[in-house]
Amino acid sequence: MTAPDVTVVVAVYNTMPYLTECLNSLVEQSIGVDRLEVVAVDDGSTDGSGEELDRFAARYPDTVKVIHQENSGGPATPSNRALEAATGRYVYFIGSDDHLGTEALERMVALADERGSDVVVGKMVGTNGRYVHQKLYESGNPDISLYDSALPYTLANTKLFRRSLVEEHHLRFPEDLPVGSDQPFTVEACVRARKISVLGDYTCYYAVKRGDASNITYRADHLARLRCTAKIMEHTAALIGAGPERDAVLKRHFEWELSKLLQKDFTLLPFETRRQVCEGVAALMDAYFTDGLRRITGVKRRVRFGLAHAGAVGELTRAITQESENGAPPFLLEDGRAFALYPGFRDAAVGLPDHFYEVLAEGVTGRLAKYTRLESAEWEQEDEELVLVLGLRVGLVGDTSSAVVALVNGAMPASADKPGARRLPGGAGRPGPAGELAREPSGDGRSTLLTTRIPIRPADARRGARLYVDVAGSTYEIPVRADGLAMPLARRWGRETPYRASANVNSKGRVVITTAPLWRTNPSAGAKLLQKLTRSKRK
């Protein structure tokens, strides 16, 4: 009998009714049941999942194989048992609450055969609110590396693996990991693989978040997740020598697994549990948090890691709580550098070096946009002079001498829309001061109040109000947002040639100042004809 092209491994424990859709998506694959083998292991289900597996096995006896066993406590043991029974040229793993796109297996097998790939990563999306990292799938690539792609952020075993590779290196799932047992398998397969390919132009896999959030990942506690992450990182380090390649993979574990241990729910844990989490994070930092990783880690995570490493449980708890309640802290601008003023900054009792708090250009744009707000806007008029007075609050303290406010022609580039601001590209000019600017620290020590007086010149113009400021060696351009603040009424000024000035808020919430002649001279008949001819040519 000819071996099937692909064996699909399904580890099953109490996933009804999702299991039915999963199995239907397998037997309906366009690759055909004659080229497919499904090995499903029922890990002691009590909700009818075992009976549903038997029903499919009876309907598709040459395709679906079912193994029943007592509950093992996680997906690793049933997955290993299924691997022992697999006969396909390739093996593919699917969660029993997830399902596949109809052409998934056919497309992935064809790509692996065409390219000689040992691992194929098919595009995966989340459903019902399940988050799935998408960067890897932005463009299909027939040959990617674990070390210079987004693959470390996609380490689930939901991939196509050449079974000869799996058996040559006897790749199996560690059965002592209740969470993340697929990561050591996937990392080692990717390290050993001759070629890894991505199928990004077709949605192969639909990852489902159950309505009751009962996926095992959501049930593990902090210390269990910490222990699992430590073992995963240890396994990875044994495969990849110290250096940039190891950093590229372990960056994921610091940014995802360890960062998730230091979020809002950390503050709700008993003190002793928080202390143990900090102790565990500190040990992993000592082993793997290199200077290279520190430099590419955002300041929010870096401070939390640093406080955990210092055993500053109280300061870490305050840092998380204060950011949750009040938002990110202000930046201190000092001698051309910027520091995020989280708890513990320059606290001798904590002893954390400044570089943990230093802002290295990451996350600056969004923070400046979020914590820059207009607090007042009014006109000052005397005879022929009209002045716009704007009061702004910015989330910066210290040396704010680089800050200027100006009225600028032209729209912001589309790249600035999502963060609401932008870092000016190198060599881009910035406007000089548009008028008088006064700076005053706020009473709470978290911001600076800027009051600018901008003379309004007679012109036919539409200009946006923008703040420019230097942070961490770069200049940032922040559109001034009104955030519901009422704008002053339009003003008329000028005697010989009257003009009208108005302050409005555009569809993006940004303040726009429009000036125009109060009336326009009617064009001559010849000018009207010329305008008509010009318009007709444009059409």
Side-chain angles (χ1 to χ4, degrees):
M1 180 178 177
T2 304
D5 282 328
V6 57
T7 297
V8 179
V9 168
V10 194
V12 181
Y13 177 70
N14 287 355
T15 52
M16 289 294 288
Y18 304 96
L19 177 61
T20 303
E21 184 173 10
C22 172
L23 296 173
N24 278 327
S25 78
L26 298 181
V27 297
E28 294 171 1
Q29 285 290 299
S30 61
I31 198 170
V33 292
D34 56 327
R35 297 173 60 191
L36 171 67
E37 176 182 63
V38 177
V39 179
V41 178
D42 171 28
D43 197 37
S45 296
T46 59
D47 70 338
S49 293
E51 290 80 359
E52 183 72 343
L53 291 175
D54 291 338
R55 186 171 71 85
F56 271 82
R59 183 180 297 180
Y60 303 95
D62 297 327
T63 301
V64 179
K65 300 176 183 178
V66 177
I67 301 170
H68 297 278
Q69 66 178 31
E70 293 185 1
N71 181 252
S72 65
T77 299
S79 295
N80 286 338
R81 191 165 180 189
L83 276 177
E84 299 297 336
T87 63
R89 292 190 299 122
Y90 298 98
V91 61
Y92 188 85
F93 299 88
I94 183 173
S96 59
D97 38 15
D98 303 329
H99 55 274
L100 298 185
T102 305
E103 300 174 18
L105 296 177
E106 182 179 21
R107 286 174 179 250
M108 285 188 285
V109 167
L111 178 59
D113 285 344
E114 177 187 351
R115 296 288 183 174
S117 309
D118 287 330
V119 180
V120 175
V121 188
K123 183 177 180 179
M124 182 177 182
V125 300
T127 67
N128 198 30
R130 179 89 174 263
Y131 174 77
V132 174
H133 199 267
Q134 291 297 303
K135 187 174 182 181
L136 185 67
Y137 312 120
E138 290 176 355
S139 62
N141 193 327
D143 191 2
I144 67 166
S145 166
L146 178 64
Y147 312 116
D148 61 5
S149 71
L151 183 55
Y153 293 87
T154 313
L155 291 181
N157 64 340
T158 49
K159 299 169 177 58
L160 187 78
F161 299 93
R162 189 177 296 274
R163 196 167 67 86
S164 60
L165 175 80
V166 172
E167 295 308 321
E168 177 185 353
H169 299 284
H170 194 66
L171 302 182
R172 294 296 186 269
F173 299 89
E175 298 182 6
D176 59 343
L177 294 186
V179 177
S181 61
D182 54 347
Q183 287 195 34
F185 180 100
T186 304
V187 169
E188 185 163 358
C190 290
V191 169
R192 308 284 190 195
R194 293 163 299 175
K195 181 175 289 187
I196 306 169
S197 298
V198 175
L199 179 62
D201 61 353
Y202 178 81
T203 300
C204 295
Y205 195 104
Y206 295 87
V208 178
K209 182 177 181 180
R210 300 183 209 168
D212 59 357
S214 59
N215 309 61
I216 190 169
T217 303
Y218 300 98
R219 301 198 306 266
D221 64 31
H222 279 68
L223 294 179
R225 285 152 54 197
L226 177 62
R227 286 192 294 270
C228 292
T229 300
K231 290 185 177 181
I232 292 167
M233 295 175 77
E234 181 181 356
H235 180 83
T236 300
L239 292 169
I240 308 168
E245 290 186 344
R246 180 193 287 180
D247 285 354
V249 179
L250 294 187
K251 179 176 185 285
R252 170 246 164 82
H253 297 89
F254 280 103
E255 286 191 354
W256 276 23
E257 280 82 1
L258 294 183
S259 289
K260 289 178 182 177
L261 298 177
L262 305 178
Q263 295 181 348
K264 188 176 179 180
D265 55 357
F266 172 86
T267 68
L268 306 176
L269 300 174
F271 178 85
E272 179 57 23
T273 304
R274 283 180 281 154
R275 188 196 64 76
Q276 291 180 52
V277 169
C278 288
E279 190 176 76
V281 170
L284 293 174
M285 289 180 67
D286 287 338
Y288 309 119
F289 198 62
T290 63
D291 287 342
L293 276 176
R294 176 178 56 80
R295 285 191 292 268
I296 60 175
T297 299
V299 66
K300 172 180 173 177
R301 291 189 177 99
R302 199 181 333 121
V303 168
R304 294 185 184 187
F305 291 153
L307 292 173
H309 188 271
V313 179
E315 286 77 6
L316 175 56
T317 302
R318 286 204 306 276
I320 297 171
T321 300
Q322 289 177 8
E323 186 154 15
S324 174
E325 294 177 352
N326 305 317
F331 291 159
L332 168 67
L333 305 185
E334 181 181 87
D335 299 327
R337 300 167 72 189
F339 303 93
L341 295 182
Y342 286 101
F345 179 65
R346 292 179 181 169
D347 184 337
V350 175
L352 205 57
D354 280 3
H355 61 64
F356 276 92
Y357 294 85
E358 186 166 7
V359 180
L360 302 175
E362 84 296 329
V364 175
T365 307
R367 289 199 189 199
L368 288 177
K370 184 175 181 179
Y371 297 107
T372 297
R373 67 175 186 267
L374 183 66
E375 296 211 328
S376 63
E378 60 182 354
W379 303 110
E380 287 185 358
Q381 185 173 2
E382 185 175 351
D383 296 330
E384 298 294 295
E385 300 296 325
L386 182 65
V387 174
L388 175 65
V389 183
L390 299 177
L392 281 74
R393 182 183 296 269
V394 298
L396 302 168
V397 297
D399 182 9
T400 58
S401 60
S402 66
V404 299
V405 180
L407 301 182
V408 183
N409 289 317
M412 292 286 287
S415 60
D417 286 347
K418 185 173 181 180
R422 66 165 177 158
R423 180 168 62 174
L424 291 183
R430 57 177 281 175
E436 300 174 8
L437 179 62
R439 302 170 178 84
E440 179 184 358
S442 65
D444 60 6
R446 293 180 55 85
S447 57
T448 297
L449 304 176
L450 304 178
T451 303
T452 183
R453 303 179 75 257
I454 304 175
I456 303 299
R457 309 298 180 194
D460 193 348
R462 177 181 170 85
R463 295 171 292 178
R466 313 264 174 84
L467 168 68
Y468 296 83
V469 65
D470 296 340
V471 177
S474 298
T475 299
Y476 292 85
E477 181 180 30
I478 307 102
V480 175
R481 294 181 56 87
D483 291 329
L485 184 70
M487 293 292 100
L489 297 175
R491 286 294 181 94
R492 166 183 170 172
W493 90 106
R495 294 177 182 171
E496 294 184 4
T497 307
Y499 274 77
R500 182 179 184 273
S502 62
N504 300 296
V505 180
N506 68 12
S507 60
K508 295 177 181 177
R510 300 169 180 172
V511 176
V512 176
I513 307 302
T514 303
T515 55
L518 193 59
W519 58 76
R520 302 178 187 277
T521 304
N522 290 330
S524 64
K528 288 182 179 179
L529 178 60
L530 180 60
Q531 289 175 358
K532 287 184 179 180
L533 291 173
T534 302
R535 284 196 294 268
S536 65
K537 288 180 180 179
R538 288 175 182 167
K539 294 177 182 177

